[in-house]
Amino acid sequence: MAPAAFAAPQARWETTILFTHDLHSHFLPQDTEDGGQSGGYARLKTAIDREKAQHPDALLLDGGDFSIGSLIQTLYVDEGAELRTMGALGYDVGTIGNHEFDHKGTGFAQMLRSAVSSGEALPKLVCANYRPADDNADKLDIQRAMASYGMSDYTLLERGGVTYGIFGIFGKDSHDCAPTSGFVLENAAASAQRCVDALKEQGAQVIICLSHSGTSDKKKSEDEQLAQKVSGIDVIVSGHTHTPLTEPIVVNDTYIVSCGPYCGNLGSITLTGVFGDSKKTLVDYHLTPIDEQLPGDAGIAKI
């Protein structure tokens, strides 16, 4: 009798995603009420490097509102300081938030041009449902700036044998907080599902949404609603509401993560699963405080 055939083991994937959101131009540490310090990009770089020493293939992502919140924001339009420093920190992909439009759509466009003209490494920017309005007199100029930067609805990224599909979503409350943007908001769930379907068709194995929508109470928690309505998202990095989640929120097999604002924490989530199977297992989730216990990276401090 012939021996029974055994099915070949299915290939497994593991991913570590490092994330921030709502950095708000907090380049430098801030004093805390207990006499310590919080934040600062030089210390953030040290935390990033330590995480990548453990997980060399980790992604570094941001959920928007990387600008406006310290005096360094005065360099936003003409220097693109935020995106240029994020490039030096090693960010792979980010999305935009409402504060990126505090200088209107024209200021956003000039910031993109300033960042590009630096010639420095920059993070990819993605956003699938926020576009210049047809009646915006500066529509073509803004579109040209976005195209020059390479901004798109989504992106594919291969790292450590895993193909990631990453897209951006702009929230309703974020739009309400950007009344002079000159942009129009498209349906978040429909835009997200379109991106998920397109990314899977192009070979994405892990789908990540960078959402500037947020979590709050159940009735207003836009990212929880997004996870309920859209199938196929593995992780949502949730910005806008400044929520520090000590554990992920899980909705319909989607992990929603958030680490709080002002560079106070670096978030990290590690998941594993089998290719072709939507089930994921949480391996690790933690927030690393960016405080006086961390030495600052000399290169970022010099910048």
Side-chain angles (χ1 to χ4, degrees):
M1 185 182 224
F6 291 95
Q10 292 178 288
R12 298 191 66 83
W13 56 266
E14 181 173 291
T15 179
T16 295
I17 301 163
L18 308 177
F19 60 91
T20 57
H21 54 86
D22 300 284
L23 290 170
H24 288 296
S25 302
H26 274 57
F27 286 60
L28 303 175
Q30 307 291 305
D31 292 335
T32 59
E33 292 182 357
D34 61 3
Q37 290 188 322
S38 177
Y41 292 175
R43 290 170 175 166
L44 174 62
K45 181 63 161 64
T46 298
I48 292 167
D49 288 348
R50 289 181 178 180
E51 290 285 352
K52 288 192 172 181
Q54 299 296 318
H55 305 282
D57 296 322
L59 304 185
L60 179 58
L61 310 176
D62 185 76
D65 268 6
F66 49 79
S67 66
I68 314 299
S70 79
L71 285 176
I72 298 177
Q73 72 191 37
T74 58
L75 302 175
Y76 172 73
V77 172
D78 293 329
E79 296 289 341
E82 289 81 3
L83 286 177
R84 291 167 60 190
T85 308
M86 289 170 73
L89 286 164
Y91 278 86
D92 295 298
V93 190
T95 193
I96 53 175
N98 49 286
H99 282 288
E100 273 69 82
F101 297 94
D102 280 9
H103 295 278
K104 303 183 178 180
T106 51
F108 173 65
Q110 180 56 41
M111 181 275 297
L112 294 178
R113 283 193 290 266
S114 297
V116 171
S117 67
S118 74
E120 298 169 7
L122 302 169
K124 175 74 175 177
L125 282 181
V126 291
C127 187
N129 67 323
Y130 209 49
R131 309 184 189 285
D134 288 339
D135 60 358
N136 186 333
D138 299 299
K139 175 182 176 181
L140 291 179
D141 180 63
I142 296 169
Q143 287 178 324
R144 290 190 188 102
M146 293 169 68
S148 174
Y149 189 92
M151 191 170 170
S152 59
D153 292 1
Y154 58 78
T155 189
L156 284 164
L157 188 157
E158 194 278 332
R159 183 76 56 78
V162 180
T163 301
Y164 298 90
I166 306 169
F167 67 96
I169 288 294
F170 204 87
K172 182 181 183 302
D173 189 71
S174 292
H175 178 54
D176 292 342
C177 292
T180 62
S181 68
F183 277 49
V184 293
L185 184 72
E186 298 172 352
N187 182 272
S191 299
Q193 194 65 66
R194 169 176 57 82
C195 289
V196 171
D197 295 344
L199 286 164
K200 286 190 172 182
E201 185 176 340
Q202 295 174 52
Q205 297 161 313
V206 177
I207 306 290
I208 304 167
C209 172
L210 305 181
S211 176
H212 202 75
S213 304
T215 57
S216 53
D217 63 85
K218 287 288 185 181
K219 292 182 179 179
K220 297 181 180 179
S221 187
E222 292 186 51
D223 281 326
E224 290 182 70
Q225 294 171 15
L226 186 70
Q228 289 171 350
K229 295 176 181 178
V230 180
S231 62
I233 303 175
D234 294 306
V235 176
I236 296 176
V237 175
S238 178
H240 184 55
T241 51
H242 293 194
T243 311
L245 292 175
T246 56
E247 296 292 339
I249 298 171
V250 184
V251 179
N252 289 345
D253 289 331
T254 298
Y255 288 82
I256 303 171
V257 299
S258 187
C259 63
Y262 309 133
C263 194
N265 294 299
L266 173 66
S268 173
I269 183 170
T270 299
L271 298 170
T272 188
V274 175
F275 289 120
D277 187 345
S278 62
K279 182 176 176 57
K280 300 167 289 294
T281 301
L282 180 66
V283 177
D284 179 69
Y285 178 84
H286 63 272
L287 308 182
T288 299
I290 308 303
D291 58 22
E292 69 278 4
Q293 302 299 318
L294 289 172
D297 176 85
I300 297 299
K302 184 177 180 180
I303 290 173

